[in-house]
Structures are given as structure tokens and as C-alpha cells.
Amino acid sequence: MQIKFRALSLSHKTAPVQIRELIALDDQAIHSILIKLKEFFSLGDALILSTCNRTEVYYSHDLDLSTEIIKLIGLEKGMTDVVDYFDYFEIFNDDKSAINHLFRVSMGLEAQVVGDIQISNQVKRAYQAAADLDMAGPFLHRLMHTVFFTNKRIVQETSFRDGAASLSYAAIELIESLTSNTYQPRVLLIGVGEIGEDVAKNMVYLPDAKVKITNRTQSKAEAIAAELGFEVVPFDDCLDAMKEADVIVSSIQRSEPFITKKLISDFEIQSYKLLVDLSVPRSIETTVEDIPGVILYNVDNIRSKATEALDKRLAAIPRVEEIIEETIEEFSGWKKEMLVSPTINKLKQSLEQIRQEELARFMKNASEEEFAVIDKITKSMMQKVLKVPVVQLRAACKRDEAEEMIEFISDLFDLNQEKTEN
């Protein structure tokens, strides 16, 4: 029977952030759900991907298990009303659509920021979690390695991953380039609203930086810092932290500038101080650049760079989709071969059993030399008998008639009959 590969997806396209937060799964929850899927449904292929923008489950099974899987997620999250969120999930029960969705997600076509470089690593971690629990059989192994190969092609053959296409990541890229000669640059992030939080999460791409964050509501800063391993500075101590920092990223909402020329002029700047203003209205006075050693970038400078990169990515989408289509077609060829392999093996085993039984029956008194000759002849005969059905099975794959041919061959050679010992 053909493998039924399926998927269910709750993402930024189907649910607001409040719902995505409720459904999001951490590593421990993913591990627990994978084990339950294995124990309750005997799944051999299952993969769970959960990020800030999506929670998705991919699996192989003859039945649609989407309702059961959503209930398992609810059980894990302690949600008694999880079925009320069913409509936020997109269900892919068609084999081709589920595979295509996985490719599009893995390449970044479905990301909030098109071409997001983070998603490929998140997919790799999801695959590793499944493999660690023996939840990736030959089908999923081959599928995921095809995904990774496709990702390499897209990086090498297109501009789809070039440049920083989000404001927050463009800011990180800027900081990285301007602090490249600074050992363990000290970074202070002021404000962890929507943009500030996104910047904080992207700080993982500055692994050598010493990051501190501050926010008027300290509990929010503490929650983000705990997740990312950063130091929290009380907002009242913000001035001292600014004096120490090499880089100050401001993302706060105020009607007038928070960081002024007068404020910065009192600092002792040893070499440089990079100020990045991501606030609208601006929270840093533009005149701070008059101070020696101060470098200022605002949201317009950075957004211009991000927009240019995004335009390049959008232009590359048709070629990306062509590459995905090519690799899915190649994978489908392998998948079809995989479908007929068990029947070919059964046929070989059945004919070999007949050959061995007949040799044992008629060659009891044969010499070693005679047995070797007959053994060779019968093996050759068996290969010739096998050739036509094998060729027909593979030809049926290409015509999408494999299941009918499998049934015909199985009936013709009685392959489904259980062998019993006399």
C-alpha cells in the first residue's frame, strides 16, 4: 500500500500570535508527543516543528490522525478546550501537498520574512529529535535529506538567502559588521516590545557579544533574558549600562528622544559607541553624531537595506519554486520505486524458496560438481523469470499504476498466502 504522508500546520498565516503562543511546544513537549505517537499509533515516521511562527506535525499513516494529534498537543499543554482551536490548523491529507508544504516551509517560502535563514536550522533540529527516538524510517530519512540537498541548491544557485530581509536581523547584521574588531562587544538593548523582542532573539547570531537588556516592565525583560541567557538591567540603572556599552539598541516608544546629545556628551568614549535607533518616533537625537566616536543608525537606514534584500529574494522565488519542483519529482521517482520494492523482494523470496525445495527434492544423491552446475542453471532461470515482472512493476510506477500491478503480481504468484510448515 502507498505511504500516506500527512501534515497539520498552525502558523502566522492561520492564527494570531496569542493562539500560536498557546499551541507552541518546547523540546520536552515535542519529545513527549513523539513518544505518544509512537506508542499509541505505531508511527514510524513523525516530525514536529515548533517555532514562534508555526507549530506543525508531519507523519505517515493510513488514517487521518489530525484530531488525535491536536488532542495530544492539548493534553501536553494542559488545554481542556484544545479542539476549539481545530479551525486554526491547516490539514494536508494529500501526499503531494504535505510534501510540497514541508519543502516550502523548509526553504523559507512560508516564513514571515521570506527566505528566513533560521528555518532551515529549526527543521534540522526537528529531524534530529525524530531520529533520536527512531521516529524516522527510510521514507522520512530520504525525504529530509532531499530537503537539505534542495536547500543547498537554493543557496548556491539563487539570491534567495542573500542579505538581511527583516528589520531586526538587518540590525544584527549591522552590529556584527561594525563590531567585528571588538573582542566580546558589550550590547545594551533598551525596550523589548515587538521589535525589541525580535532583536533580542536574533542576538544569538552575535555569539561573542555580552548582551544586557532593560525594559520599563522588568518582568518581561526577565522572561526574555531567562530564555536567551542575557543579563537584565533595572530600567532605573539604564544610564550606567549605557556608559559601559559599546552598542546601544533603542526600541522604546516615547514622544520625545530618550537618548540626547547632552546625555551622550557626558560619557567617556574610549574608541566608539554605536547607537541603533529602531523606534518610531525616533528615540535618539540625530545630533549625537556630532560627538566624536559616536555612530548612529536609524530605522530608515536599516529598513532600506532590508527592503533591498527582500526585493532580491522575491525576485528569486520563481527559480526557488522550480528547484523545489525538480527535487520533489526526483523524490517521487524514488518513492514509487520504494512502493514496489517489497513486492519484488517477496517475489524473489518466493521463487528462491521453490528453487531450494526442488533442489532438495531432486538433488539428494547428486555429487558436489553436479549440484553446483544445477544450482547455477536454476539461479539463471530464476533471474530470467523475475525479469519481466520486475520490469512491469517499475513501468507501472511511472504510469502511476503501481498498486494495480502489485495486486496483479501478488495474485499471479500467490505472494500474499501465508507459508505454513508441514
Side-chain angles (χ1 to χ4, degrees):
M1 182 174 286
Q2 194 166 1
I3 292 168
K4 304 288 185 183
F5 187 67
R6 308 170 189 269
L8 56 149
S9 167
L10 180 144
S11 73
H12 63 95
K13 292 189 173 183
T14 63
V17 65
Q18 297 89 338
I19 303 298
R20 300 200 305 272
E21 287 173 342
L22 285 173
I23 302 297
L25 303 168
D26 59 20
D27 290 345
Q28 185 177 349
I30 288 171
H31 184 275
S32 176
I33 292 171
L34 283 172
I35 288 175
K36 288 182 174 70
L37 289 173
K38 189 175 185 178
E39 291 177 349
F40 296 169
F41 304 107
S42 302
L43 288 185
D45 284 329
L47 181 144
I48 299 176
L49 175 66
S50 191
T51 72
C52 58
N53 285 327
R54 65 184 62 252
T55 295
E56 301 186 329
V57 182
Y58 298 86
Y59 65 100
S60 296
H61 202 275
D62 294 339
L63 301 176
D64 172 10
L65 301 177
S66 52
T67 301
E68 288 79 1
I69 291 171
I70 292 170
K71 286 179 180 178
L72 279 179
I73 291 172
L75 183 66
E76 191 63 37
K77 300 282 291 185
M79 298 170 62
T80 55
D81 59 344
V82 71
V83 291
D84 295 341
Y85 299 94
F86 189 89
D87 288 343
Y88 289 105
F89 286 85
E90 192 173 2
I91 309 299
F92 300 90
N93 277 323
D94 173 71
D95 191 81
K96 290 180 181 178
S97 63
I99 290 172
N100 187 61
H101 182 71
L102 174 60
F103 271 85
R104 291 184 63 85
V105 167
S106 301
M107 299 311 123
L109 283 171
E110 300 295 323
Q112 263 191 327
V113 179
V114 176
D116 185 2
I117 61 174
Q118 296 180 58
I119 190 65
S120 58
N121 291 327
Q122 291 164 337
V123 170
K124 283 180 182 177
R125 288 197 295 272
Y127 169 54
Q128 188 61 57
D132 288 345
L133 291 172
D134 292 325
M135 295 289 285
F139 174 82
L140 190 57
H141 278 306
R142 180 66 177 250
L143 177 60
M144 296 312 298
H145 284 287
T146 305
V147 166
F148 303 146
F149 169 74
T150 306
N151 185 56
K152 281 185 180 179
R153 279 193 63 187
I154 286 169
V155 171
Q156 292 167 358
E157 299 177 26
T158 76
S159 58
F160 190 61
R161 293 280 170 74
D162 294 354
S166 73
L167 183 67
S168 59
Y169 190 74
I172 298 301
E173 204 172 63
L174 171 70
I175 294 167
E176 182 182 32
S177 65
L178 294 178
T179 62
S180 57
N181 294 322
T182 303
Y183 175 70
Q184 294 185 334
R186 296 163 295 180
V187 180
L188 173 66
L189 174 59
I190 304 173
V192 285
E194 186 177 347
I195 293 176
E197 183 176 354
D198 201 30
V199 170
K201 289 177 179 177
N202 277 292
M203 289 283 183
V204 295
Y205 294 104
L206 300 172
D208 296 327
K210 299 295 184 185
V211 180
K212 296 180 180 180
I213 61 176
T214 187
N215 194 59
R216 286 192 188 88
T217 306
Q218 185 160 328
S219 58
K220 184 169 184 183
E222 287 171 346
I224 293 169
E227 179 186 349
L228 300 171
F230 298 154
E231 182 181 339
V232 175
V233 175
F235 197 75
D236 291 342
D237 298 335
C238 187
L239 182 61
D240 290 336
M242 282 194 279
K243 288 178 181 178
E244 295 175 0
D246 300 306
V247 180
I248 300 170
V249 182
S250 180
S251 176
I252 58 175
Q253 297 298 315
R254 287 176 67 100
S255 58
E256 55 189 35
F258 176 64
I259 300 174
T260 62
K261 180 179 178 180
K262 183 179 184 305
L263 180 74
I264 300 296
S265 62
D266 292 337
F267 294 172
E268 292 184 12
I269 300 173
Q270 301 298 325
S271 57
Y272 73 91
K273 194 172 287 285
L274 171 61
L275 304 181
V276 181
D277 188 354
L278 298 180
S279 306
V280 179
R282 286 176 288 186
S283 60
I284 303 176
E285 277 186 348
T286 56
T287 53
V288 297
E289 280 195 297
D290 297 340
I291 302 170
V294 173
I295 307 164
L296 173 65
Y297 280 85
N298 63 36
V299 69
D300 289 338
N301 307 139
I302 298 168
R303 184 173 283 144
S304 171
K305 184 180 177 184
T307 302
E308 183 182 345
L310 183 58
D311 288 344
K312 285 184 178 179
R313 292 186 184 188
L314 293 174
I317 286 177
R319 178 58 186 145
V320 171
E321 291 178 330
E322 282 179 14
I323 292 172
I324 290 173
E325 190 176 340
E326 289 168 12
T327 49
I328 288 179
E329 189 174 343
E330 291 172 10
F331 176 77
S332 296
W334 172 84
K335 181 171 166 286
K336 288 172 182 177
E337 290 280 335
M338 184 184 177
L339 180 63
V340 300
S341 289
T343 302
I344 293 172
N345 289 333
K346 272 187 182 182
L347 182 55
K348 285 180 180 178
Q349 290 166 8
S350 179
L351 293 177
E352 177 62 16
Q353 182 177 340
I354 292 169
R355 192 181 76 85
Q356 292 290 348
E357 288 172 354
E358 295 305 299
L359 283 175
R361 181 179 174 190
F362 291 107
M363 299 299 292
K364 291 177 182 177
N365 300 318
S367 66
E368 191 174 324
E369 292 79 6
E370 289 171 333
F371 187 90
V373 170
I374 300 300
D375 183 57
K376 184 177 180 180
I377 291 170
T378 52
K379 276 184 181 176
S380 177
M381 291 172 65
M382 189 182 85
Q383 291 301 321
K384 285 181 166 48
V385 171
L386 270 171
K387 185 177 179 180
V388 173
V390 169
V391 168
Q392 290 299 321
L393 277 166
R394 287 177 174 155
C397 280
K398 294 179 181 178
R399 300 192 305 268
D400 286 327
E401 297 172 356
E403 291 196 13
E404 293 88 339
M405 186 58 69
I406 286 170
E407 187 176 352
F408 175 75
I409 297 287
S410 298
D411 288 344
L412 183 63
F413 290 92
D414 203 17
L415 300 182
N416 294 323
Q417 182 178 346
E418 294 292 331
K419 302 294 181 182
T420 56
E421 294 184 4
N422 294 324

